[in-house]
Amino acid sequence: MRLILLGLPGVGKGTQAKILATRQGLLHISTGDMFREAAAAGTELGKRAQEFMSAGALVPDEVTIGMLLERIAQPDAAKGLMLDGFPRTIPQAEALDAALAKQGDQIDRVLYIQVPEAELVARLTGRWSCSNCGAIYHMQSKPPKAAGVCDECGGALSQRADDQPATVNARLDTNRAWTEALAEFYGKQGKLEAIDGTGSPDDITARLEGALANVS
Ligand code: AMP
């Protein structure tokens, strides 16, 4: 089984990709993780990717496609794939289709996790951290006892630039453009399945697995 998980930041895509890969016996591939590992190891690929990642931009297709195709040519990819964060452009999707077709394979299903926009913004902007001890809070899932004050040390809570509403909205806009283009691409192939991403992580896993029930 070869699957792709699609969804905007904050829908829980990374968490679900790991859970599904384990439960279904698939190889979990996150191109974001691969780039971060390469950057931490200081390889040429990592240094190149880091420039784009720091700027919040996509790593160019020729770098990303090469890295991904090399990874899925490894023996452990034969057990099946759970792709997370790839493809992000139509040329990436086309290159993936072409590489799989060469070996007589294909993508079986593209699961598109969807969460209402207002809830996504609340999830993404809810994170605050203590400027003194670094403790992390979330206004929805782990609020501090007193607003703006750290439970641990009494320090002042502040929000990272990345988590502020203007930055979050800009990030959602950019991601929406390519996510919708890919949804259309796989929709035309009849492979797209929309999944309700609200509720508990267990609810979402159950919906995803329900959508896989008739995949061979
Ligand atoms: P992620 O952890 O999936 O959000 O990825 C982190 C960063 O890695 C992204 O912001 C991009 O800079 C880069 N990246 C990951 N996957 C891709 C991809 N498929 N195409 C281009 N850039 C990517």
Side-chain angles (χ1 to χ4, degrees):
M1 192 155 63
R2 290 173 185 80
L3 308 174
I4 293 173
L5 269 196
L6 265 187
L8 293 175
V11 299
K13 189 162 55 73
T15 309
Q16 292 296 333
K18 286 192 194 102
I19 297 172
L20 272 194
T22 305
R23 291 172 56 118
Q24 304 283 332
L26 306 171
L27 176 67
H28 173 223
I29 300 182
S30 152
T31 41
D33 285 351
M34 291 176 80
F35 284 135
R36 278 184 289 275
E37 281 160 21
T43 63
E44 276 314 306
L45 174 98
K47 284 182 204 154
R48 182 121 193 257
Q50 186 62 51
E51 289 169 35
F52 296 92
M53 292 165 79
S54 310
L58 290 184
V59 177
D61 279 346
E62 78 265 17
V63 178
T64 310
I65 291 171
M67 177 181 78
L68 188 278
L69 295 188
E70 216 172 275
R71 184 65 191 90
I72 65 170
Q74 303 296 313
D76 58 349
K79 62 183 176 179
L81 299 174
M82 164 55 63
L83 297 179
D84 166 13
F86 185 98
R88 263 169 156 107
T89 66
I90 300 298
Q92 290 180 12
E94 289 171 341
L96 175 64
D97 274 358
L100 291 175
K102 253 193 207 165
Q103 57 193 55
D105 294 325
Q106 59 165 349
I107 291 297
D108 298 297
R109 200 68 103 233
V110 179
L111 303 166
Y112 184 11
I113 308 180
Q114 294 177 312
V115 170
E117 196 77 17
E119 160 131 16
L120 266 191
V121 173
R123 286 187 194 178
L124 292 166
T125 57
R127 191 163 62 160
W128 291 69
S129 62
C130 175
S131 29
N132 182 44
C133 74
I136 307 268
Y137 296 88
H138 195 284
M139 293 308 139
Q140 288 179 313
S141 53
K142 194 193 169 203
K145 292 193 185 93
V149 181
C150 180
D151 293 350
E152 309 290 327
C153 73
L157 301 185
S158 63
Q159 229 181 355
R160 280 180 17 181
D162 280 6
D163 300 332
Q164 283 170 16
T167 318
V168 163
N169 279 318
R171 195 163 132 225
L172 284 176
D173 285 345
T174 323
N175 278 272
R176 192 181 299 106
W178 59 256
T179 303
E180 285 179 355
L182 285 166
E184 196 187 328
F185 179 89
Y186 289 112
K188 281 188 190 146
Q189 294 188 2
K191 293 178 178 168
L192 191 74
E193 187 105 28
I195 305 290
D196 173 5
T198 59
S200 72
D202 285 351
D203 292 341
I204 304 166
T205 306
R207 286 182 205 126
L208 288 164
E209 290 195 318
L212 298 179
N214 57 353
V215 179
S216 54

